[in-house]
Amino acid sequence: MWHSPTRLKWVIKHEDVEPLGCCLLIGNSRWHWAEWDGLKWRFDHSQPDYTRIPPVGLIWAAVGSIPPLPFLNSERRLSLEQVPILDLPNWIGIDRALAAWGAVRRAAVEDLPQTGLIVADAGTVFSLTCINHCGTFTGGQLLPGAKLQLQAMASGAVMLPEVELIRLDELELFPKTTAAAMQRGCLQALTEVISAAAREGYPLWLCGGDASMLISELKNRVLSIRYQPDLVLEGMSSVADYLNLG
């Protein structure tokens, strides 16, 4: 059965200040924040911003480079052992573990069928993470995210330009320009991987920074996909509460 859902908020109490909560995931390209505003968790994403780190009470984790900051207390860094997903290997990124827990927890809260699930995280590195009906990690896949694919083409081929991502539904299937062809190819590759995973028969949850570029095309394919862009932060704030940190 799914892990039982826990309290849905985490509040840090500190002398002479009102209750607060803040979680930070240091990613490969951006920082990801979960902040408790007194009523609910608010999620947002930014470039590295040291000024937002609170002097006390921060719960944090990292998959990217960790800056040498005194406020990043190692005792308040989340580890894989603290994420309530069973049989997590020690090599898996904590972002994948947190996204998996976010999906398992939400499925339990919403009383969804306990059939297992797959999480597709369209981040800097695209990942698929499979969780069975017991909440146990059973495997996954990794491949370059769309931006890494574009960067690889631009750096590895003299004639190919540096280009930015745009939404997949804004691109023709077979574009005539080089930039659009690169954009379409990268996003199309991710879409096909997600589509193949969705056909495995498990509910598929989609999150990550590039998920918004893909979701319209995936919906057009009438695939059963749950779009939760901040699933990693949902999982992180829940784990902080699950462990009664603060």
Side-chain angles (χ1 to χ4, degrees), residues 143-229:
L143 64 153
K147 292 184 179 69
L148 282 182
Q149 293 181 52
L150 289 172
Q151 291 170 6
M153 285 192 283
S155 63
V158 174
M159 300 299 292
L160 295 182
E162 294 184 1
V163 297
E164 298 293 328
L165 279 178
I166 63 173
R167 291 168 57 95
L168 184 57
D169 56 7
E170 297 176 8
L171 294 162
E172 296 178 320
L173 180 59
F174 298 107
K176 294 181 179 179
T177 68
T178 298
M182 293 168 65
Q183 293 164 329
R184 179 75 200 198
C186 292
L187 293 173
Q188 186 75 30
L190 298 183
T191 301
E192 297 303 329
V193 171
I194 295 170
S195 298
R199 290 193 292 269
E200 290 299 309
Y202 295 102
L204 192 142
W205 297 63
L206 177 64
C207 64
D210 293 340
S212 61
M213 307 281 186
L214 306 168
I215 188 60
S216 293
E217 174 70 17
L218 292 168
K219 286 182 176 179
N220 288 339
R221 299 185 181 201
V222 198
L223 296 173
S224 178
I225 293 177
R226 178 70 175 266
Y227 177 43
Q228 296 286 149

Side-chain angles (χ1 to χ4, degrees), residues 1-2 5 72 76 88 91 97 100 104 106 116 127 135-136 148 163 176 183-184 195 197 208 213-215:
M1 59 183 295
W2 295 122
L72 294 180
R76 299 183 68 82
L88 285 172
W91 51 261
V104 168
R106 183 174 280 275
S127 65
T136 300
L148 282 182
V163 297
K176 294 181 179 179
Q183 293 164 329
R184 179 75 200 198
S195 298
M213 307 281 186
L214 306 168
I215 188 60

